Amino acid sequence: MLAREILWEHGGAKGAAKSPNMPWEEALRGPFFNTSAHSFMARGGELLYLQLTSLFNGYKGQGFHALFPPEECKTYGHLHSVTDLSKLRTSLQAGLRQVLHESDQAIGPLGEFIRQTFEEAGVESEGTSDTADL
């Protein structure tokens, strides 16, 4: 949650597969770490959940049960139970704030420990860092 997504470009015309014996330092300088592409949406069901919730709450047809065979209505019933999308949004925002707050409380002291340990050991930064918009 704290790091931005970085994709390793292995295949393709400029991919790292063309240089299998490349040293790590060269890989760091090359175009193999892509910070502008995203694949995270393929792993989670967050977007699908929101799309289905929107569909079921905006459906003006014969009713929710007309969309599915009877044996599957219970499977998707929780998506139809959200009757107000603004309440869903508020609930999701509050949940995300809580997750971020709790992760900061857990990870913050660890980051501070690492920073202090590096300072005490005289370890300098390992190069430039790129900023990322959240």
Side-chain angles (χ1 to χ4, degrees), residues 20-105:
N21 297 321
M22 175 182 2
W24 178 245
E25 292 76 23
E26 185 180 334
L28 289 175
R29 289 189 302 271
F32 310 114
F33 291 98
N34 188 342
T35 57
S36 61
H38 302 283
S39 69
F40 63 90
M41 294 299 277
R43 284 187 239 133
E46 300 87 1
L47 185 61
L48 179 60
Y49 170 77
L50 293 174
Q51 288 173 334
L52 291 175
T53 301
S54 180
L55 168 70
F56 296 152
N57 283 281
Y59 184 66
K60 304 286 189 241
Q62 303 170 10
F64 175 71
H65 299 289
L67 293 172
F68 299 103
E71 66 274 5
E72 291 185 24
C73 283
K74 289 182 183 178
T75 304
Y76 296 101
H78 66 287
L79 296 174
H80 188 260
S81 65
V82 180
T83 56
D84 184 354
L85 293 180
S86 64
K87 287 182 184 177
L88 173 63
R89 178 181 179 170
T90 302
S91 172
L92 291 174
Q93 287 174 336
L96 181 58
R97 277 190 211 97
Q98 180 181 355
V99 166
L100 292 174
H101 177 72
E102 290 174 0
S103 65
D104 183 49
Q105 287 181 338

